Amino acid sequence: MQKLSVTIITLNEEQNIRDALESVKWADEIVVVDSGSTDRTVDICKEYTDKVFYNQWPGHIAQKNLAIDKSSHQWILSIDADERVTPELAAEIKDVLKGPKADAYSVPRHVFYLDRWINHSGWYPDRKIRLFRRDKGRWGGIDPHDTVIVSGEVKYLKGDLIHYSFKDIAHHINTMNSFTTIASKEYIKSGKRFRFRDMIFRPVFMFIKSYILKQGFRDGLPGIIIAITAGYHVFMKYAKLWELSRRQKRDG
C-alpha cells in the first residue's frame, strides 16, 4: 500500500480540530501548519502528530502548499479543520492506495448547515480534489478560493467528506466579509477591471443558479438563505473591487 500524508492548516480551531484529526488518525502521517493559534489548537494537534509547524499566514494557497512541502509521503490527503473523513471515504482511500489508477481523486463534500444536511443549492455534491500525488498536484487558484491543480488523470471517489462549514448565519456573513475582501484584493493584483454590469447582474444570476438551477428550493428555508447570501457574496466582491479601484486611482 502507498503511504499517505494528511495535511491540515489551522488557526484557532480548538472546537473543530480534534474531530478532524480523529477522522484521519489511521493515516501514515499527519502534518499540521498553524499560523499562530492562541487557543488549544496546537496542543490538541500534538496529541496526534509531532509534525506541527508554525508559519505566519501567507494566504490559503501558499499555506496549503507549505504543508505539502513538509510532508514525507508521495500521496497527500488535504482536509480543512472543519472537515471530517467518513469511515466510508477512509475505506475507499485505503483501497485506492493499494494500487492507484489515477494521479488524483475528487471527493463529494457534504455540508451541514443550519441544523440540516444541504443536498442541493450547488453545495452537494461539491466535488473537490483532495487526494493526489505530490508530484502531480499543487494548490492553485485565486485566494481565498483555492483548488488543487493536477497534471495527470483524475478519478472520482464516492465516500463523503463531511464539512461543518458555518456555526450560524453570523459566522457565514463574517466569513463572506473576509473572503470578499481577499478576493477583491486578488482581483486588483491581477489587473481585473471593475465593470458595473458585473456588480448588478452576476449576483442575480448567482441567486438563480443556486435556488433554481441547483434546486436550492429543495433545501427548505436554508436553501433560500444560501441563495441570497451567494448573490450577496458576489455583489460584495465586485463592490469592494470598485472601492479599491477608486482608491488606487485616487492615490495614483
Side-chain angles (χ1 to χ4, degrees):
M1 181 183 292
Q2 297 287 322
K3 289 191 173 183
L4 178 69
S5 296
V6 173
T7 61
I8 310 175
I9 64 171
T10 56
L11 175 64
N12 293 332
E13 291 284 359
E14 70 176 359
Q15 299 301 318
N16 286 314
I17 193 61
R18 186 177 298 279
D19 287 342
L21 292 165
E22 279 289 327
S23 77
V24 295
K25 64 182 182 180
W26 48 268
D28 299 289
E29 175 183 70
I30 298 174
V31 176
V32 177
V33 178
D34 186 82
S35 52
S37 292
T38 55
D39 61 7
R40 295 189 60 251
T41 296
V42 171
D43 292 335
I44 295 170
C45 290
K46 287 181 178 179
E47 295 177 27
Y48 292 83
T49 177
D50 59 357
K51 301 200 74 172
V52 181
F53 304 94
Y54 166 76
N55 189 60
Q56 186 175 351
W57 183 248
H60 293 80
I61 294 168
Q63 194 80 325
K64 289 185 177 182
N65 280 330
L66 177 63
I68 295 174
D69 294 338
K70 296 288 188 181
S71 301
S72 305
H73 303 310
Q74 179 71 277
W75 280 89
I76 304 293
L77 174 64
S78 179
I79 68 169
D80 293 335
D82 58 2
E83 295 174 338
R84 317 282 181 262
V85 174
T86 59
E88 294 78 13
L89 178 57
E92 200 172 3
I93 290 171
K94 292 174 187 177
D95 189 57
V96 162
L97 293 178
K98 291 177 183 177
K101 295 180 173 60
D103 300 300
Y105 294 84
S106 74
V107 300
R109 191 167 64 164
H110 206 175
V111 178
F112 190 78
Y113 178 60
L114 297 179
D115 298 323
R116 69 178 290 169
W117 294 105
I118 304 301
N119 296 319
H120 307 91
S121 302
W123 280 21
Y124 187 79
D126 179 27
R127 282 202 164 269
K128 304 291 184 183
I129 296 173
R130 292 303 183 80
L131 178 66
F132 55 94
R133 286 172 53 104
R134 63 183 297 158
D135 60 342
K136 296 289 185 177
R138 199 76 177 166
W139 285 97
I142 300 176
D143 274 328
H145 301 293
D146 46 51
T147 186
V148 177
I149 309 298
V150 176
S151 174
E153 185 178 5
V154 179
K155 289 191 173 182
Y156 290 171
L157 298 181
K158 296 178 181 178
D160 284 343
L161 179 67
I162 300 302
H163 187 202
Y164 292 96
S165 56
F166 307 112
K167 293 180 291 186
D168 49 32
I169 294 173
H171 183 205
H172 191 174
I173 297 299
N174 289 337
T175 301
M176 282 199 305
N177 186 41
S178 173
F179 277 20
T180 53
T181 296
I182 296 169
S184 63
K185 289 179 179 178
E186 290 297 319
Y187 278 168
I188 288 290
K189 287 180 185 177
S190 67
K192 185 177 180 66
R193 297 178 61 186
F194 169 77
R195 298 185 303 182
F196 180 74
R197 64 178 180 270
D198 287 334
M199 191 175 71
I200 299 301
F201 295 113
R202 285 182 180 271
V204 175
F205 175 73
M206 180 56 70
F207 174 85
I208 293 171
K209 179 181 177 181
S210 176
Y211 195 66
I212 298 175
L213 300 181
K214 296 296 184 179
Q215 301 183 37
F217 58 86
R218 298 178 65 183
D219 288 317
L221 187 57
I224 196 166
I225 292 172
I226 289 169
I228 290 171
T229 52
Y232 177 71
H233 183 112
V234 175
F235 174 81
M236 289 306 299
K237 182 169 59 177
Y238 285 101
K240 290 178 180 181
L241 174 61
W242 169 77
E243 181 182 42
L244 290 174
S245 298
R246 288 187 67 206
R247 188 179 303 161
Q248 190 177 59
K249 290 180 181 178
R250 183 192 63 204
D251 296 342

